[in-house]
Amino acid sequence: MTISHAPSADGVWHHCHLLPEPGQDTALRDGAIVVADGRIVWLGTHAALPDTYRHLPRHDAGGAWITPGLVDCHTHLVYGGQRADEFAMRLAGASYEEIARAGGGIVSTVRATREADEDTLFAQAAGRLRPLLAEGVTAIEIKSGYGLSLDAERKQLRVARRLGTAFGVTVHTTFLGAHALPPEYAGRADDYIDLVCDTMLPALAGEGLVDAVDAFCEGIGFSPAQTRRVFEAAARHGLPVKLHAEQLSNLGGAALAASHQALSADHLEHLDEAGVRAMAAAGTVAVLLPGAYYFLRDTHLPPLALLREHGVRIALATDHNPGTSPTTSLLLMMNMACTLFRMTVPEVLAGVTTHAAHALGAADRHGTLAAGRVADFVLWQVATPAELAYWFGRNPCAAVVRQGRIYPTETGAGAKA
């Protein structure tokens, strides 16, 4: 359904149960939400509905649970092609080096992304976005990082912005120029970082295409010193930072990110207590990515006990990308976080709403239901919110209200106006 055909959500939503702040004891049975001009103006129990609103149009939620819209706070959604054949080669015993020599790996995605025009990238990314929207995602972060040249990075970010406009979903764009070394800069990583900091970022920020800046701090990515240069360039443009950190080894990336007041540090399988303490002090969110952990058959768990002990917010995301997490289901990530990482149901509910919003620096707009906010919420045909983490391969979403408009899903009947 296009934005122009999506009906307004204005009116009183009733015959529902509310979970205004997932992860907290805030459930309201027999609740009601009042939407006016696309914004929530009141919520509470139906019995307490003010007389002022009783004359408004009614939306019967059919006994659904209503939560805030889901937030997918780490994706690489815009890129050319796919890497299914590479996956098959790896399963058949091919090494990373053999795959790379055959033209696979990130180089193949960079090539496909550079060769594709904006319309092609948009069509491919739209196909990946639709199932996320059908599961209740109302805000999503989309990174660049598969162009690795000014024109190609610009193309990715322009498509990301276009997706937000076309689908009525809030898109946060992240410039990830320091994702990998492009082939033409082989052996010249510092020169490439010069390009990222002195040419790409100023141009893209100047065009209004960048909401945050990210880097891949890893032995196969960029060093802490190179990452620091990227962060310093981001600061010159007034942009917040995020970091791919401690996924394959511990280079102190999370502590480095925290020293720059990063919104989040992501992956974190090899995070140590010093890094956790630094993140806690800075308020940096830990974004865990069970899809990549699963797809790579990793066995080194992120330090959940330490994150809990030090009170670090824990968010979850799909990390959708063609090489290590080709998933389009945030609900599946919730289940995987429970089964693989041993997270609790309240933790994963908060991880895809309130904490994910903090990871985008958007907690004032997303992640909770509150008067004054844009109407972004999801109707779930479940008996208990725990079902959102319990099922896998089943989508109990009945309808999504995104930016004040109603989008019924194929799996649900939606609300009765």
Side-chain angles (χ1 to χ4, degrees):
M1 179 184 293
T2 63
I3 297 175
S4 61
H5 291 91
S8 169
D10 286 5
V12 178
W13 293 76
H14 67 110
H15 191 197
C16 61
H17 312 298
L18 307 181
L19 194 61
E21 188 173 356
Q24 303 296 318
D25 187 17
T26 60
L28 295 173
R29 289 191 174 271
D30 194 17
I33 298 179
V34 180
V35 178
D37 297 324
R39 291 187 173 273
I40 298 172
V41 296
W42 185 89
L43 72 163
T45 62
H46 189 264
L49 180 69
D51 290 340
T52 309
Y53 303 126
R54 292 187 179 272
H55 69 284
L56 295 177
R58 292 270 174 153
H59 301 277
D60 184 346
W65 275 92
I66 295 181
T67 70
L70 305 190
V71 179
D72 195 352
C73 63
H74 181 133
T75 85
H76 306 251
L77 205 69
V78 177
Y79 56 85
Q82 42 76 26
R83 281 153 60 184
D85 288 343
E86 174 185 324
F87 175 61
M89 289 171 64
R90 190 162 64 244
L91 292 175
S95 68
Y96 182 85
E97 183 179 354
E98 289 169 334
I99 291 171
R101 281 203 306 267
I106 192 172
V107 173
S108 67
T109 300
V110 171
R111 181 171 58 250
T113 302
R114 288 179 173 182
E115 291 174 352
D117 61 24
E118 283 192 25
D119 287 343
T120 299
L121 290 176
F122 176 86
Q124 292 180 354
R128 302 165 192 138
L129 178 61
R130 287 189 182 96
L132 291 168
L133 299 181
E135 286 191 349
V137 169
T138 61
I140 186 168
E141 187 241 28
I142 301 178
K143 303 178 191 291
S144 65
Y146 286 116
L148 308 184
S149 70
L150 176 57
D151 287 345
E153 291 286 301
R154 176 187 287 121
K155 183 168 56 176
Q156 284 190 273
L157 293 168
R158 282 171 54 89
V159 169
R161 289 278 196 242
R162 184 175 161 190
L163 288 167
T165 301
F167 288 93
V169 60
T170 303
V171 171
H172 293 257
T173 55
T174 297
F175 172 57
L176 182 56
H179 187 201
L181 197 61
E184 63 270 23
Y185 276 85
R188 297 188 295 132
D190 284 330
D191 290 343
Y192 178 65
I193 293 297
D194 287 342
L195 179 71
V196 168
C197 296
D198 300 336
T199 301
M200 289 191 195
L201 181 53
L204 299 172
E207 293 168 23
L209 292 173
V210 182
D211 296 323
V213 176
D214 196 351
F216 183 34
C217 185
E218 192 57 74
I220 62 172
F222 296 95
S223 70
Q226 291 161 342
T227 300
R228 186 177 295 108
R229 290 179 57 200
V230 174
F231 285 175
E232 290 169 351
R236 290 195 292 272
H237 293 279
L239 292 168
V241 298
K242 305 163 69 70
L243 188 64
H244 287 62
E246 272 74 276
Q247 180 184 12
L248 306 175
S249 62
N250 185 359
L251 295 184
L256 171 62
S259 73
H260 288 265
Q261 303 299 306
L263 294 174
S264 71
D266 304 26
H267 286 291
L268 303 177
E269 283 84 349
H270 293 265
L271 178 65
D272 61 13
E273 186 164 8
V276 173
R277 288 181 180 274
M279 291 175 65
T284 297
V285 178
V287 179
L288 304 187
L289 305 169
Y293 179 91
Y294 162 81
F295 201 75
L296 292 173
R297 295 186 286 187
D298 202 346
T299 58
H300 202 290
L301 289 166
L304 262 296
L306 285 174
L307 293 169
R308 289 167 176 149
E309 178 185 346
H310 293 284
V312 176
R313 292 180 181 274
I314 303 170
L316 298 171
T318 60
D319 188 22
H320 176 90
N321 74 81
T324 62
S325 189
T327 180
T328 56
S329 175
L330 191 55
L331 293 178
L332 178 59
M333 298 304 97
M334 294 169 65
N335 179 271
M336 283 187 175
C338 292
T339 57
L340 298 177
F341 295 165
R342 304 295 190 267
M343 291 179 68
T344 66
V345 168
E347 284 176 332
V348 299
L349 289 172
V352 297
T353 53
T354 55
H355 295 174
H358 277 276
L360 295 181
D364 60 334
R365 287 163 282 159
H366 304 296
T368 59
L369 299 176
R373 296 195 172 202
V374 170
D376 279 348
F377 53 83
V378 190
L379 281 66
W380 306 99
Q381 290 295 346
V382 294
T384 167
E387 289 188 54
L388 303 186
Y390 168 73
W391 298 107
F392 56 102
R394 173 176 179 244
N395 180 8
C397 178
V400 183
V401 172
R402 216 164 51 239
Q403 297 182 354
R405 293 185 176 274
I406 306 169
Y407 296 85
T409 66
E410 293 181 2
T411 55
K416 302 169 187 175

